[in-house]
Amino acid sequence: MEGAIPSPPNTRIAVVTGGNKGIGLEVCRLLASGGVTVVLTARDETRGLAAVEKLRGQGISGVVFHQLEITDASSIAGLADFLKTRFGKLDILVNNAAIGGVEYVQELDTNEEKFSGLDVYQRLEWMVKSVNETFDSAKEGVQTNYYGTKHVIEALLPLLQSSSEGKIVNVSSDYGLLTFIKNEGVRQELNDIEKLTEQRLDELLDKFLTDFEAGALEAHGWPNGFAAYKMAKATMNAYSRILARRHPELRVNCAHPGYVKTDMTMSSGVLTPEEGARNIVKVALLPDGGPTGVYFAKGKEASFM
Ligand SMILES: NC(=O)c1ccc[n+]([C@@H]2O[C@H](COP(=O)([O-])OP(=O)(O)OC[C@H]3O[C@@H](n4cnc5c(N)ncnc54)[C@H](OP(=O)(O)O)[C@@H]3O)[C@@H](O)[C@H]2O)c1
């Protein structure tokens, strides 16, 4: 179901995936506050419509809902059809939807008091101890965070090319930095963007999952602690760089929001969702002709390593 909002001819159109809560919801709020028409997407229609209503109640108009489950090809096609018919183009795609790729062993508890006095490293350590990494959760993490995002991009590419300068912001993470991959060969391959191919990224993810199932992550130098999340974000970064080279007419960048208090981090982060979202929106609203194929950490250009 979609809401009806008028959009003047020169308005920029943005799609935000996973817009119903956390950083995604704040990205929608900030973009819409800046005059961008926002398609807030969510996999669950009830949660998505509630988010749009929440924004409306806070005086934010210019946000329309559309359902999107990023692992479902027909859902992605439905969004692409809607955008084509309604707007004929897409200016900004914020790929925000993601999962932890882990099983959370504790009930979600948003009481932050237990983190007071803990520094960032102690909080991250608490997070790693609070999850189980099963093969099924790792597979789902890779399917959602890498392949789901990639399939959304592929489907919306023609619409981004109909914009004067289509911008893709892939919400990344410092967990996607190559430093977490101890296997020197894999690390170098992922950084050698001139030679790297999408097929090779598929092969590396298959090998990672095979080693995960065999209990051989450490032996082969794959990341540990949120291993699938780290691999999916590292390969998403590499794919973004491949895309940026292939499509100089677009701007394709990765942005790390910072360590944010959301459900994904069980509220253990140090930034508010709005602060995290500002770091994403800054990249989404870079002027035309700006950098492409770049990693931004908390709003500043940084290294993929
Ligand atoms: N929080 C941090 O400290 C942090 C740090 C670095 C990077 N990030 C990145 O920031 C982004 C947002 O994370 P967050 O912390 O705001 O997490 P969050 O509060 O858990 O929100 C995740 C969003 O993604 C949606 N989603 C998950 N799987 C989906 C699917 N298959 N199809 C469509 N939507 C799906 C969720 O929908 P449901 O509500 O339906 O589950 C939710 O809207 C992610 O890319 C994350 O990796 C976060």
Side-chain angles (χ1 to χ4, degrees), residues 102-243:
V102 292
E103 277 176 6
Y104 292 88
V105 289
Q106 312 196 0
E107 283 293 304
L108 191 62
D109 166 15
T110 51
N111 181 355
E112 292 167 27
E113 266 170 35
K114 60 180 170 293
F115 304 117
S116 65
L118 298 190
D119 66 23
V120 165
Y121 299 100
Q122 290 167 322
R123 287 167 189 236
L124 286 169
E125 204 179 291
W126 173 88
M127 266 228 310
V128 172
K129 282 192 189 135
S130 304
V131 299
N132 277 333
E133 301 191 44
T134 64
F135 178 60
D136 284 346
S137 60
K139 224 171 29 176
E140 201 189 344
V142 167
Q143 279 306 328
T144 305
N145 298 359
Y146 179 73
Y147 289 105
T149 304
K150 183 180 177 200
H151 294 151
V152 171
I153 292 173
E154 285 168 345
L156 302 189
L157 209 50
L159 287 156
L160 285 157
Q161 288 169 318
S162 298
S163 164
S164 60
E165 191 186 83
K167 296 187 172 68
I168 300 175
V169 182
N170 290 323
V171 179
S172 190
S173 169
D174 56 359
Y175 267 9
L177 293 178
L178 295 174
T179 183
F180 289 104
I181 301 171
K182 299 299 167 212
N183 182 319
E184 178 86 34
V186 172
R187 201 167 61 229
Q188 279 178 9
E189 273 196 83
L190 287 174
N191 202 32
D192 188 355
I193 295 308
E194 280 173 35
K195 282 210 201 114
L196 192 62
T197 62
E198 289 172 51
Q199 188 192 335
R200 186 63 187 144
L201 289 175
D202 293 346
E203 288 166 6
L204 288 172
L205 285 170
D206 284 351
K207 175 84 174 83
F208 162 74
L209 285 173
T210 304
D211 285 344
F212 192 113
E213 197 168 23
L217 287 187
E218 207 178 326
H220 292 116
W222 299 109
N224 58 29
F226 284 79
Y229 182 85
K230 284 173 177 163
M231 276 311 295
K233 292 290 186 187
T235 45
M236 177 42 54
N237 285 349
Y239 174 66
S240 307
R241 297 168 82 186
I242 293 175
L243 265 190

Side-chain angles (χ1 to χ4, degrees), residues 18 20 23 43 47 69-70 96 98 172 229 233 258 260 262 265:
N20 56 290
I23 297 166
R43 55 180 161 181
R47 290 198 286 271
E69 160 60 66
I70 67 168
N96 164 81
S172 190
Y229 182 85
K233 292 290 186 187
V260 183
T262 62
T265 60

